[in-house]
Amino acid sequence: MENSTGCKHQSQLLAELARTQELVVQLEAHLDQHSPIESCKSLSSNILLSIEKLIHIAGLSTSEAKQLLPFPNTVPQDPLLQSANKNASAANFNSVFHRNCNYLSKKRKTLPKKKIQVRVGSGGVAAALDDGYSWRKYGNKNILGSKHSRSYYRCRDRNTKRCFATKQVQRSDEDPQAFDVIYHGTHTCRRGLQMPTTTSVSEQARRQNQANRRLHNDHPVQQQNKDLLMDLDAHESCISSQLGSVTAEAMLPESIHGGYSSQPSLPDNCCCFGGSPAISELIDVSGSPTQLCVSEAGLEPLTSGSFVSDSLTPPNSAVDADITLLELDTQFGEFLVSCSNLLYTM
DNA sequence: CCGATTTGACCGAG
DNA sequence: CTCGGTCAAATCGG
């Protein structure tokens, strides 16, 4: 890449990143002060615009990096990757690239991975595990020393959109009600963020409740001879939008309030809303855990160590606003750190 | 018939 | 050699 062009793009990226960071700081301040939701929405819109700009700028400057990619058409949408691609020498880039998306390796032991533990609530495993993304199971393996087999999933858009995100789901040995979910890579597709265009959130919740009733009453277990995980396919926790390296899509408001998936293979109840509370522990394998509650309101940060029982009543409307603010606070707190990291990296 | 899942074989890092 | 991860043919089910 021509140096002058590269410098220009880099300075543009830096400026836009700084602007995004500033917006996030402002949003955090609003959240701290419990400002009106309209203010937060306005700020989040500006943040989204900045992110789109970042992606665009980064996209302009990745021609060199693209040549290094194993798949020429695979342009990671992750701005972290794109900015890294632009600046890195071939050697550095390889390091960064393999750290972020080790597409080719069959062995993924050294991949950065995010592990969460999802506990089954009264809404069933489906509600607890739904992350809005669409997964396809490609393998199942008995793991030495584990009571339960591990299931391997990959994004359904692997071929169509070159999305190489994968995950592993395994029932916990200690707690049969808990599932360990390990995510590898980040989604370059945007499937999981497809939102209903004409259906309101409340309508979605109503439909899910209906679907849940159908599932539990009208159509009692039809696949008893199948492993439970089979039923879980494509019903992941909406938490996954928080996982992996921070991407623009992970910051979209949709993902904050829970992913929504409209793929035809999923039943109506695959949306996060309306599911009964379940508890998840979000663990960055290389970092400290964040505890989250998957509730009707989406993700609710919790204090360490407290699991909510199945009998917990869903949050009422009076506390929904606070929960939403907490979600935003958590999300953008992480985003802020990522912005700082990006600036530092550059 | 077609798409999704199952499952045994294969690959490769440790 | 072991075992986790992936592939792909066989099978299932709508």
Side-chain angles (χ1 to χ4, degrees):
Chain A
M1 182 185 298
E2 193 178 328
N3 282 342
S4 60
T5 309
C7 289
K8 181 185 168 190
H9 284 146
Q10 180 170 351
S11 59
Q12 285 178 335
L13 270 170
L14 279 168
E16 198 58 38
L17 269 172
R19 174 178 141 77
T20 307
Q21 188 181 33
E22 174 60 29
L23 287 170
V24 174
V25 170
Q26 289 178 25
L27 180 55
E28 274 205 329
H30 278 270
L31 290 170
D32 288 342
Q33 298 161 12
H34 286 210
S35 300
I37 194 69
E38 288 75 19
S39 309
C40 297
K41 279 185 176 177
S42 171
L43 275 170
S44 68
S45 297
N46 288 335
I47 292 170
L48 281 177
L49 283 174
S50 282
I51 289 170
E52 286 177 8
K53 270 190 179 180
L54 280 171
I55 294 173
H56 177 69
I57 296 170
L60 290 176
S61 54
T62 52
S63 59
E64 186 182 30
K66 283 177 190 174
Q67 295 173 3
L68 293 169
L69 292 171
F71 305 109
N73 293 329
T74 303
V75 183
Q77 297 303 301
D78 186 337
L80 178 61
L81 262 183
Q82 295 196 344
S83 60
N85 292 354
K86 173 173 68 67
N87 294 311
S89 65
N92 286 340
F93 169 71
N94 281 338
S95 160
V96 171
F97 178 80
H98 287 295
R99 197 169 61 239
N100 286 282
C101 51
N102 207 341
Y103 297 135
L104 289 181
S105 174
K106 283 186 176 181
K107 306 284 285 188
R108 297 174 187 268
K109 287 177 182 175
T110 57
L111 280 178
K113 57 185 180 182
K114 301 281 182 175
K115 178 180 179 178
I116 66 171
Q117 188 170 67
V118 179
R119 172 167 286 217
V120 180
S122 59
V125 208
L129 293 181
D130 185 10
D131 66 357
Y133 284 103
S134 182
W135 301 95
R136 177 181 179 133
K137 189 173 184 177
Y138 67 88
N140 195 65
K141 194 85 177 174
N142 288 322
I143 301 302
L144 204 70
S146 297
K147 297 175 187 172
H148 307 100
S149 63
R150 177 180 300 167
S151 298
Y152 298 88
Y153 299 85
R154 64 166 63 111
C155 181
R156 285 180 200 272
D157 288 327
R158 183 183 181 89
N159 294 325
T160 58
K161 295 181 184 173
R162 292 296 193 183
C163 179
F164 293 91
T166 65
K167 70 167 185 175
Q168 302 166 4
V169 178
Q170 186 174 12
R171 190 182 284 272
S172 170
D173 285 345
E174 295 79 22
D175 183 0
Q177 285 290 92
F179 290 85
D180 292 324
V181 185
I182 300 174
Y183 291 84
H184 295 278
T186 57
H187 283 272
T188 56
C189 68
R190 297 177 68 83
R191 175 192 286 272
L193 297 167
Q194 292 170 351
M195 291 294 287
T197 54
T198 58
T199 311
S200 68
V201 165
S202 58
E203 172 68 4
Q204 287 298 318
R206 187 188 64 77
R207 287 174 55 188
Q208 162 148 12
N209 287 334
Q210 284 186 344
N212 283 340
R213 280 196 294 275
R214 281 201 307 272
L215 192 66
H216 291 111
N217 299 328
D218 301 341
H219 301 291
V221 191
Q222 293 179 343
Q223 298 178 324
Q224 292 179 342
N225 60 336
K226 286 197 169 188
D227 188 282
L228 175 61
L229 290 178
M230 280 289 300
D231 293 329
L232 304 184
D233 183 32
H235 292 275
E236 328 291 345
S237 161
C238 51
I239 324 170
S240 89
S241 54
Q242 302 200 24
L243 301 177
S245 46
V246 175
T247 66
E249 66 177 42
M251 289 303 116
L252 292 172
E254 289 91 329
S255 65
I256 294 170
H257 293 283
Y260 177 84
S261 177
S262 60
Q263 64 271 37
S265 62
L266 293 180
D268 286 346
N269 65 339
C270 68
C271 137
C272 289
F273 303 107
S276 297
I279 293 295
S280 305
E281 184 174 15
L282 174 66
I283 303 170
D284 181 339
V285 167
S286 60
S288 57
T290 303
Q291 293 231 324
L292 300 166
C293 171
V294 183
S295 69
E296 287 192 346
L299 292 167
E300 175 186 3
L302 289 178
T303 53
S304 172
S306 61
F307 267 108
V308 178
S309 72
D310 289 353
S311 61
L312 179 78
T313 54
N316 60 37
S317 58
V319 297
D320 278 352
D322 282 343
I323 291 172
T324 304
L325 287 176
L326 284 170
E327 296 161 16
L328 289 168
D329 198 27
T330 302
Q331 291 274 339
F332 285 101
E334 291 177 10
F335 185 40
L336 189 58
V337 171
S338 294
C339 283
S340 301
N341 288 341
L342 273 175
L343 287 167
Y344 177 78
T345 305
M346 298 179 71

